[in-house]
Amino acid sequence: MIRVNKTLTVLATLLSLGSLTCKAADTFERKPGLWKISMQFSRNEAPHRVQQCLAADTDARISRIGTESMKGICSKLDNRRVGNTYVTDSICKIGTHTSVAHEETVFDGDSAYRTTMQTHDDHPGPNATADSVYTQEGHWAGPCPSSMKPGDQIMEIGPQMPEGIKTNILEAAEAARPAAR
């Protein structure tokens, strides 16, 4: 059995949720069923792929948890909806690093979306750049397979792990949620 560390699980959860974790009151919710998502962290690497199984209430539950989590680390978190586009501007402190982000998510009905996020990190790591662009595209692929329950996601890793890493985004988000004060 392969053990997945908590940081990787939380990172996969946040990235797979993209802009859907922290929206305005009129949250757009994706169609229930299986979603196939492609994430690109830089122009020079292959996209990462995730499959997610969603129930009717999955996005709303994740949005609530994400908003609560972000309040503790973000000094600015402005969300607005313009037609079928959500725009989020944020300034968040993660450890000793401050990240400034501008994100736009465009929805095509309830069965497809594309997110572009531009970030600036005030202290990038030794192998990172201060400015980066992240893109995510998702589309509805039909009903969830019987092997997946709502909240399950499978992150494709590559040839070294052809079966991918399966986690439940609801459980991971709940575990990452700050303790009640």
Side-chain angles (χ1 to χ4, degrees), residues 53-128:
C53 178
L54 302 179
D57 67 340
T58 304
D59 280 342
R61 290 173 63 193
I62 291 297
S63 180
R64 281 192 302 275
I65 294 167
T67 298
E68 290 171 13
S69 299
M70 298 301 280
K71 284 180 182 175
I73 61 171
C74 298
S75 60
K76 175 182 179 181
L77 189 57
D78 294 333
N79 300 298
R80 60 194 176 281
R81 182 176 178 171
V82 180
N84 65 341
T85 303
Y86 282 100
V87 178
T88 301
D89 290 300
S90 62
I91 300 173
C92 302
K93 189 170 180 103
I94 302 170
T96 59
H97 299 262
T98 299
S99 180
V100 177
H102 175 80
E103 179 180 310
E104 294 185 8
T105 300
V106 178
F107 291 95
D108 183 5
D110 64 353
S111 59
Y113 67 90
R114 178 178 170 79
T115 297
T116 302
M117 180 171 44
Q118 299 169 334
T119 62
H120 176 78
D121 187 340
D122 67 345
H123 292 94
N127 297 320

Side-chain angles (χ1 to χ4, degrees), residues 4 6 11 18 31 37 40 42 47 92 96 146 151 160 162 164 168 170-171 176-177:
V4 179
K6 187 174 181 179
L11 178 62
K31 185 178 195 173
I37 300 164
Q40 184 97 31
S42 74
C92 302
T96 59
S146 60
Q160 68 276 22
N168 187 284
L170 294 171
E171 294 166 5
R177 191 177 184 174

Side-chain angles (χ1 to χ4, degrees), residues 8 10 19 23 30 40 44 50 55 57 69 72 90-91 95 98 109 115-116 124 133 140 145 160 166 172:
L8 178 59
V10 171
S19 64
K23 291 295 172 217
R30 295 173 289 172
Q40 184 97 31
N44 299 329
V50 174
D57 67 340
S69 299
S90 62
I91 300 173
T98 299
T115 297
T116 302
V133 176
W140 186 78
Q160 68 276 22
K166 185 175 182 180

Side-chain angles (χ1 to χ4, degrees), residues 130-166:
D131 297 304
S132 61
V133 176
Y134 163 81
T135 58
Q136 181 181 96
E137 293 183 356
H139 70 275
W140 186 78
C144 294
S146 60
S147 61
M148 294 178 81
K149 66 181 183 194
D152 279 353
Q153 72 176 10
I154 299 172
M155 213 175 133
E156 297 175 11
I157 302 301
Q160 68 276 22
M161 288 183 69
E163 70 283 354
I165 295 175
K166 185 175 182 180

